[in-house]
Amino acid sequence: MGLPGHEELIVFIDDSRGIEVIERHRSIHHLPAPQRVCSYAQITPWLDSAGFPMQALIVRPSGGADHTHIRKAVVDAATLKIAISGAVSQSTEGLALVEPDLRAHTNPTRRLVLSQLADRLARRMATLCPSCQTPGYGRISVRIGLPCADCHWPTDHITADVFGCVRCRCQDLCARPETTADPQWCERCNP
């Protein structure tokens, strides 16, 4: 079973220079499970764990593919009560499905990640390649194989970051400060 998570991606395209600079962020998120309810009173204990009202909600009829009765970006109790009542009345099961609205403009966690990602892209665009002076010099990949502290077998942990240019082949290897990995992550010591 996989871990719940998401990936954000921001791309800067400069047609005049013929470059693309990509920054991404992967994270694990523990989202509250969607709830099937027949009334607003039934959902109130769940609302805090969902981050409501800062985290917007989507309400739809449970059971069936009727997309005309979906309410998105619900951020207040009055609207939520009306949306649940309407969804229950349109549902073949007599239930409303209430779930977090994960669109970026309605999700505070995603907005924070996107803001940090935009800052990271701006810093990268301000970094010129030491060889050709093209903006966008930054981390392009990583090297794995950090040795196990016990048996020195290579693990899946990162040993170094690879920084490079988006235009020329200039690259630098920057070793991480860790010199060994905990044996708990070693496939040989801890299969």
Side-chain angles (χ1 to χ4, degrees):
M1 182 173 163
L3 294 171
H6 84 279
E7 180 174 9
E8 297 291 354
L9 181 76
I10 190 168
V11 179
F12 178 86
I13 299 172
D14 184 339
D15 289 333
S16 64
R17 287 188 175 100
I19 62 170
E20 289 183 5
V21 180
I22 302 169
E23 286 290 330
R24 66 183 72 219
H25 176 80
R26 291 184 183 124
S27 60
I28 296 172
H29 284 284
H30 299 286
L31 297 169
Q35 300 292 301
R36 286 180 167 73
V37 297
C38 60
S39 69
Y40 174 79
Q42 203 176 9
I43 196 77
T44 54
W46 178 82
L47 293 177
D48 281 341
S49 69
F52 184 77
M54 294 301 294
Q55 167 61 62
L57 300 174
I58 294 176
V59 181
R60 70 180 88 218
S62 179
D66 182 4
H67 299 291
T68 59
H69 298 287
I70 295 175
R71 294 290 299 266
K72 298 178 181 179
V74 176
V75 293
D76 64 85
T79 304
L80 182 57
K81 287 177 187 176
I82 293 167
I84 289 173
S85 177
V88 166
S89 71
Q90 297 297 318
S91 171
T92 58
E93 301 171 347
L95 297 170
L97 179 65
V98 182
E99 59 192 333
D101 189 338
L102 301 179
R103 298 174 299 158
H105 70 286
T106 64
N107 183 299
T109 305
R110 285 191 66 200
R111 285 195 306 266
L112 177 62
V113 168
L114 288 168
S115 173
Q116 293 168 345
L117 197 54
D119 287 343
R120 199 163 79 204
L121 178 65
R123 283 192 306 274
R124 183 165 173 190
M125 291 305 299
T127 306
L128 302 178
C129 171
S131 179
C132 71
Q133 302 301 303
T134 299
Y137 189 82
R139 189 171 81 161
I140 56 172
S141 67
V142 295
R143 293 244 174 108
I144 60 167
L146 192 64
C148 171
D150 282 351
C151 73
H152 307 291
W153 189 261
T155 67
D156 288 338
H157 282 243
I158 298 172
T159 61
D161 294 298
V162 180
F163 289 84
C165 181
V166 294
R167 178 181 250 175
C168 73
R169 294 181 181 241
C170 179
Q171 288 187 358
D172 291 310
L173 198 62
C174 183
R176 294 266 178 112
E178 303 84 16
T179 55
T180 60
D182 189 298
Q184 73 174 331
W185 304 113
C186 178
E187 289 185 21
R188 186 185 233 180
C189 293
N190 191 17

